[in-house]
Amino acid sequence: MVQKLIMDQGLFITFEGIDGSGKSTQSEMLAAKLTQLGHKVVKTREPGGSAGAEMIRSLLVSGDTDRWSPETEILLFTAARRDHLEKTVIPALTLGHIVICDRYVDSTRVYQGVARADLRETVDQLHSIIIQKEPDLTFVIDADPENALARGLARDSGEDRFEDFGLSFQKSLRAGFLDLAKSENHRCHLINGMRAREQIADDIAAIAVSHIA
Ligand code: TMP
């Protein structure tokens, strides 16, 4: 039987959005804010966040767009996620810490389940067998695909495999995240990311703090 990883302590916060949406900056800003308020915060990311998952990350984010099929991507992202949960997320939540994760399963639901292919059911099935853990609170940062893509590509990070799918791919991601924020509105907050970053950070911090108190 697959070992369960469900854990009810701590607070598991995730950030989601299209490439270049500013979610990484916002997740850093929230981590700094909550640390400043005296909370124990673990800031992490997906794919990655543990030694093994970082190795899988390098396979996924570089190289040609056709390097992996959407089905293979689902398996690789889920393998990375399982390792990340076992090694980083669950141990921190067990200690009652706040875990802030830059991307999580909602990215698989939207990138592999909607934009790469129509595979949402497969993503959900695998999630229910291998992962199960849902975030307590998710910030979906909404951004204009054209600006966000230009921003993402300007970083020239060498991790552009998903940006290389182009503008129509980013538009379909945006639509996917908007749908997801609506259907998962018990935990997802849709944040207008097309504003000054301090203003966005203030809104996010207010929501997060209201979940902690
Ligand atoms: P990052 O640039 O936000 O660190 O994420 C790396 C890329 O991986 C990004 O383009 C989104 C993509 N991705 C997926 O396609 N599926 C997933 O499940 C995750 C976590 C990321």
Side-chain angles (χ1 to χ4, degrees):
M1 203 171 89
V2 176
Q3 172 100 34
K4 285 200 173 192
L5 291 172
I6 299 287
M7 168 56 53
D8 290 327
Q9 281 169 259
L11 186 70
F12 187 26
I13 302 176
T14 59
F15 280 77
E16 299 284 357
I18 64 175
D19 298 287
S21 59
K23 65 179 175 40
S24 302
T25 304
Q26 289 302 326
S27 60
E28 296 283 356
M29 289 172 88
L30 181 64
K33 177 77 185 174
L34 296 181
T35 303
Q36 186 200 337
L37 292 174
H39 298 287
K40 285 269 184 217
V41 177
V42 173
K43 167 72 179 60
T44 187
R45 70 169 180 180
E46 288 207 354
S50 63
E54 288 290 335
M55 292 173 89
I56 298 173
R57 176 188 175 93
S58 67
L59 298 174
L60 280 160
V61 297
S62 62
D64 294 341
T65 50
D66 63 0
R67 183 177 187 183
W68 309 108
S69 69
E71 290 81 356
T72 310
E73 285 174 11
I74 293 173
L75 293 169
L76 289 170
F77 279 113
T78 306
R81 181 159 306 129
R82 174 76 193 199
D83 190 64
H84 179 220
L85 278 174
E86 287 177 4
K87 308 279 170 49
T88 305
V89 176
I90 300 295
L93 293 176
T94 304
L95 292 170
H97 296 172
I98 297 172
V99 175
I100 298 180
C101 190
D102 184 350
R103 295 196 186 281
Y104 187 62
V105 63
D106 294 325
S107 280
T108 321
R109 288 176 174 138
V110 173
Y111 277 74
Q112 282 67 45
V114 176
R116 289 280 282 123
D118 183 12
L119 286 171
R120 173 64 194 265
E121 217 176 292
T122 307
V123 172
D124 286 341
Q125 282 172 348
L126 199 57
H127 178 76
S128 74
I129 298 168
I130 299 294
I131 305 292
Q132 298 170 339
K133 178 78 186 159
E134 292 290 333
D136 298 308
L137 178 61
T138 298
F139 295 104
V140 178
I141 313 291
D142 185 40
D144 170 60
E146 220 154 322
N147 290 341
L149 184 59
R151 228 176 99 165
L153 288 172
R155 282 199 285 254
D156 199 17
S157 63
E159 295 193 330
D160 294 338
R161 183 167 164 263
F162 288 93
E163 275 114 325
D164 289 344
F165 282 103
L167 185 58
S168 66
F169 184 75
Q170 296 295 327
K171 285 181 175 168
S172 128
L173 288 173
R174 184 194 200 182
F177 277 120
L178 291 177
D179 282 350
L180 185 123
K182 234 182 259 167
S183 64
E184 295 283 311
N185 64 3
H186 55 282
R187 68 173 167 87
C188 286
H189 292 259
L190 185 64
I191 303 290
N192 175 2
M194 296 162 281
R195 298 174 293 158
R197 66 184 197 168
E198 289 74 20
Q199 207 183 349
I200 302 169
D202 285 348
D203 285 0
I204 290 173
I207 296 168
V209 166
S210 76
H211 273 74
I212 297 165

